[in-house]
Amino acid sequence: MNDCVFCKIAQGSIPSQVIWENEDFLAFLDIFPPVPGATVVIPKKHMDSYIKNANPEFLSNFMEAIKKTMDLLDTKLEGNIRTKLVFEGLEVNHLHAKLWPMYPGVAEEKPQSPASNEELAKMAE
């Protein structure tokens, strides 16, 4: 879709800090991270954002991609005790999973402005 921001990220026409990908899925850092390391996982092909509309075979593959990304966040982010998985799809109509690392004493808070590319690049390392 021409006007979908996630399709543009998947196509590489909008820059992002990719932390994992395969042929069908892409995981990148959220530019409005409610916690450090917040990540979005998308199918590279456009799909409706309501997860209940996806077919079971696709969902199995999507969950495998999400799990691989969660494993990465769980092992690489210092202090992350577990990664939360959220499906809501209200902001962008492209199926996506939000992964939020959970840190002791850190509350989720949506920032008013996007994180800088430098901040995201440092987190991606």
Side-chain angles (χ1 to χ4, degrees), residues 29-47:
L29 294 176
D30 191 333
I31 64 167
F32 285 96
V35 293
T39 299
V40 179
V41 183
I42 63 169
K44 291 182 177 179
K45 178 181 174 186
H46 186 83
M47 296 184 72

Side-chain angles (χ1 to χ4, degrees), residues 102-113:
M102 299 173 69
Y103 306 95
V106 176
E108 298 161 2
E109 183 177 314
K110 186 169 182 173
Q112 298 300 312
S113 58

Side-chain angles (χ1 to χ4, degrees), residues 93-104:
N93 185 22
H94 182 121
L95 185 61
H96 61 285
K98 295 179 179 182
L99 301 180
W100 295 343
M102 299 173 69
Y103 306 95

Side-chain angles (χ1 to χ4, degrees), residues 52-92:
K52 80 172 199 168
N53 295 333
N55 73 54
E57 181 182 341
F58 168 82
L59 286 177
S60 177
N61 294 332
F62 191 31
M63 287 305 298
E64 195 59 37
I66 291 165
K67 182 183 179 304
K68 288 179 181 188
T69 307
M70 291 174 89
D71 288 343
L72 181 66
L73 297 174
D74 288 348
T75 59
K76 299 293 184 181
L77 293 178
E78 186 176 332
N80 180 20
I81 57 173
R82 178 175 285 190
T83 299
K84 180 191 293 191
L85 168 60
V86 177
F87 288 108
E88 43 92 330
L90 297 173
E91 296 169 351
V92 177

Side-chain angles (χ1 to χ4, degrees), residues 1-14:
M1 295 190 70
N2 293 337
D3 60 343
C4 175
V5 66
F6 287 169
C7 285
K8 290 177 181 178
I9 289 171
Q11 296 162 357
S13 60
I14 292 179

